[in-house]
Amino acid sequence: MYKKITEQDIKVFKDIFGDNNCFVGDEIASEYAKDEIGTIVSFPEVRVIAKDKYQVSKLMAYAYNENIPVTVRGAGTGLVGGAVPVLGGVLLDVTGMDKIIELDHINMTLRVEPGVLMLDIYEEVLKNNLFYGPDPGEKTATIGGTISTNAGGMRAIKYGTTREWVRGLEVVLPNGELITVGGKVVKNSSGYPLKEMFIGTEGTLGIIVEATLKLTSLPKYSTSLLVPFKETSAAVKAAALLIEKHVTPTAVEYVNQPSLKYSKEFLGKHMPHDNYDAYLLLSYDGTSKEALANDINIASELCMEYGAIDVYLIDTEERNSSVWTIRGAFLEAIKASTPLMDELDVVVPRNTIPEYLEYTEHVSKQLNMRMPFFGHVGDGNLHIYFCKDDMEEEVFAEKLKKAFDLMYDKAFSFGGLVSGEHGVGYAKKEYLARQIGPTQLELMKGIKKLFDPKNILNPDKIV
Ligand SMILES: Cc1cc2nc3c(=O)[nH]c(=O)nc-3n(C[C@H](O)[C@H](O)[C@H](O)COP(=O)(O)OP(=O)(O)OC[C@H]3O[C@@H](n4cnc5c(N)ncnc54)[C@H](O)[C@@H]3O)c2cc1C
């Protein structure tokens, strides 16, 4: 179906990217055949590192004519195989496009190349007393990757997901043409929302080569609360009630004893007050100390009213860093506790979380499989892990399929969706089709065909 890459093609790639930025065969390290979850493995025929958008445009014009598949890769921290070149071809690494181009104080925008890391964006805006809202857990992800997956993270409950923070994009289309969608403007009612098409579509419709991000003024004051509860259901019910009472935190994370244990083993550190079974970890921010203190007081009173055992104020830099470092390490700590795992990044209406988590425990017992979980309970987004432990590979594969089927069917019956923030990629295609049904699937396929008639850009993903 696709052309196999020849010596002549490699010569062309070396002309575009330079000999030092073009890797073939054994020169390609195994990390480029997978992403962070590691369950989907496929080597590209060639890996190239782009330094600017014109190289990307030249590559795509050539690949389009020659019918060669191209998959874009940011930092490879994705969890659904989105950046894995499952049909071979070229892996286009954009981490070399890492310039912060312009911070515009009047329009409050930041223009960046796609390979800029999130940690560099946070540092840049903070030193200018400004703020970028999305806060996905992995700070070494690229901005291009987070836009392409519409990444969420801890602050989504208050500040929304990446989509709400992208004002404009420059994109290379599958045929090599360069277009600009949106810009520095705040409002836009100008025709079909093409910019939106490149956000959350995982590099299947175009390659983001520049982004203009919205910034706001920095919420100067912030504090966290660590709130232990007797059991999971009390904690997650309290999270929904806090939001109902309009004391919306910046983050509402559910933390339980098993995740704390894995994290302690992984980091060798422990969190203060870590002897309870279930917690809410709340954070609040604001532009004045008084407003923040008011929110904290109301939230603390409400938590006690909703069954909290206590409310601990995490108000020193040391305590704050300890608690959030431990929370931030959950995924890697669970990964380190088993030779192989897979992940469910499901999102359900927040009022159904208690019942969904009860069901999770039921499935774990039914399948006799360890299924640790944690989640952004404020926005209904749960991360549930299926651990292989010492199971035989075939047994694990069978149980994994059953677990995904059961957990997704339950989520869909509650009005939930396949992915809250990690995307569909390659791993969740089957379940997207099941969730949206044939009419929407055909619409999505039609959109893909319009942007990419030869199906060369990140093929075999999403639809
Ligand atoms: C410890 C850990 C914590 C995490 N926490 C969160 C979290 O809180 N919230 C969250 O949403 N995610 C989280 N993730 C998942 C991951 O970090 C995000 O999906 C992130 O957006 C991926 O960025 P990346 O640069 O690594 O992209 P990659 O993994 O390289 O690629 C992801 C997808 O984007 C496409 N892509 C990359 N760059 C471009 C581009 N320039 N143009 C077009 N397409 C492109 C790829 O083709 C692929 O389909 C976490 C991952 C880990 C390992």
Side-chain angles (χ1 to χ4, degrees):
M1 183 183 160
Y2 294 110
K3 180 186 168 189
K4 281 275 151 213
I5 290 175
T6 63
E7 286 299 320
Q8 174 54 30
D9 299 323
I10 291 165
K11 196 176 161 308
V12 173
F13 301 146
K14 286 189 170 170
D15 283 347
I16 299 175
F17 297 97
D19 289 2
N20 294 340
N21 293 317
C22 195
F23 305 85
V24 188
D26 290 349
E27 297 165 354
I28 303 172
S30 60
E31 68 182 277
Y32 296 101
K34 55 189 184 199
D35 65 6
E36 190 67 30
I37 200 83
T39 49
I40 294 146
V41 182
S42 174
F43 275 85
E45 290 158 78
V46 178
R47 169 183 164 235
V48 293
I49 304 176
K51 296 286 179 194
D52 67 50
K53 59 190 174 190
Y54 304 107
Q55 290 178 336
V56 176
S57 169
K58 277 186 198 157
L59 168 72
M60 291 317 297
Y62 183 79
Y64 188 78
N65 278 332
E66 298 293 322
N67 209 29
I68 296 171
V70 175
T71 302
V72 193
R73 180 181 165 106
T77 70
L79 298 165
V80 287
V84 180
V86 289
L87 298 179
V90 178
L91 185 69
L92 170 64
D93 182 336
V94 293
T95 52
M97 295 174 69
D98 57 359
K99 288 186 210 62
I100 293 182
I101 304 167
E102 180 200 34
L103 195 156
D104 181 333
H105 287 270
I106 295 185
N107 290 303
M108 284 178 120
T109 51
L110 185 72
R111 277 175 60 215
V112 290
E113 287 190 323
V116 176
L117 304 184
M118 297 314 293
L119 55 92
D120 293 326
I121 290 183
Y122 299 128
E123 191 187 309
E124 180 70 17
V125 297
L126 187 64
K127 78 180 179 219
N128 285 282
N129 250 337
L130 292 166
F131 180 71
Y132 176 70
D135 183 31
E138 179 55 75
K139 309 298 181 236
T140 63
T142 63
I143 185 67
T146 61
I147 295 172
S148 303
T149 53
N150 187 28
M154 321 248 192
R155 300 195 290 233
I157 180 76
K158 181 163 179 186
Y159 293 108
T161 59
T162 301
R163 185 180 294 285
E164 282 101 302
W165 291 78
V166 177
R167 288 257 171 92
L169 292 173
E170 213 175 337
V171 178
V172 170
L173 296 175
N175 66 3
E177 205 177 322
L178 194 60
I179 61 165
T180 301
V181 286
K184 288 184 177 178
V185 291
V186 177
K187 289 174 159 181
N188 183 354
S189 296
S190 316
Y192 293 157
L194 286 183
K195 178 190 70 179
E196 305 303 323
M197 300 307 305
F198 301 105
I199 305 173
T201 45
E202 302 177 61
T204 59
L205 302 182
I207 300 166
I208 297 163
V209 289
E210 190 183 305
T212 302
L213 309 174
K214 171 179 110 172
L215 304 178
T216 62
S217 52
L218 181 70
K220 279 200 189 107
Y221 303 98
S222 64
T223 294
S224 301
L225 297 176
L226 184 64
V227 190
F229 288 83
K230 253 203 197 133
E231 57 199 7
T232 302
S233 62
V236 292
K237 272 181 199 150
L241 289 168
L242 280 175
I243 296 162
E244 191 193 330
K245 295 281 182 204
H246 307 292
V247 269
T248 303
T250 318
V252 195
E253 296 295 307
Y254 170 73
V255 173
N256 64 4
Q257 198 45 241
S259 302
L260 287 176
K261 180 177 150 279
Y262 304 131
S263 219
K264 203 192 284 182
E265 280 161 12
F266 181 67
L267 292 174
K269 281 186 184 178
H270 77 101
M271 187 174 84
H273 319 291
D274 68 349
N275 50 329
Y276 299 99
D277 286 338
Y279 299 80
L280 283 184
L281 178 54
L282 307 170
S283 79
Y284 282 86
D285 67 10
T287 44
S288 85
K289 269 188 186 162
E290 295 69 31
L292 180 63
N294 194 38
D295 278 353
I296 294 284
N297 281 340
I298 300 174
S300 305
E301 278 168 21
L302 287 173
C303 282
M304 291 308 289
E305 195 181 310
Y306 300 146
I309 298 171
D310 211 333
V311 175
Y312 299 108
L313 196 60
I314 305 296
D315 57 350
T316 64
E317 190 48 51
E318 197 191 342
R319 280 159 72 84
N320 196 52
S321 148
S322 149
V323 169
W324 286 102
T325 305
I326 283 165
R327 162 60 190 87
F330 281 173
L331 196 162
E332 283 170 286
I334 294 171
K335 198 174 167 199
S337 75
T338 178
L340 192 67
M341 67 175 195
D342 213 330
E343 188 217 42
L344 186 79
D345 158 49
V346 73
V347 59
V348 293
R350 73 170 80 92
N351 64 315
T352 64
I353 294 184
E355 201 181 328
Y356 194 72
L357 287 180
E358 256 173 49
Y359 186 70
T360 305
E361 279 167 6
H362 164 78
V363 171
S364 172
K365 280 194 194 120
Q366 183 189 335
L367 298 178
N368 192 19
M369 177 162 64
R370 194 162 59 95
M371 287 170 48
F373 58 85
F374 58 90
H376 314 299
V377 285
D379 42 47
N381 184 199
L382 298 166
H383 299 319
I384 300 168
Y385 296 87
F386 305 135
C387 297
K388 175 176 173 293
D389 294 338
D390 53 7
M391 272 181 246
E392 296 292 327
E393 259 166 42
E394 311 79 70
V395 176
F396 179 56
E398 214 175 283
K399 287 192 181 186
L400 199 58
K401 170 91 179 82
K402 271 192 196 143
F404 272 120
D405 283 348
L406 290 166
M407 296 299 294
Y408 270 133
D409 283 346
K410 188 62 146 186
F412 300 157
S413 76
F414 285 169
L417 307 178
V418 165
S419 168
E421 54 181 20
H422 295 162
V424 173
Y426 185 75
K428 306 287 157 57
K429 277 172 59 175
E430 177 193 340
Y431 296 102
L432 177 73
R434 197 186 284 188
Q435 179 220 307
I436 63 179
T439 305
Q440 290 189 50
L441 193 64
E442 281 314 305
L443 281 171
M444 285 196 189
K445 283 184 176 168
I447 291 169
K448 170 70 175 163
K449 201 163 184 182
L450 187 68
F451 279 82
D452 185 13
K454 288 185 158 184
N455 195 24
I456 58 159
L457 190 58
N458 207 357
D460 213 9
K461 305 286 169 63
I462 305 183
V463 287

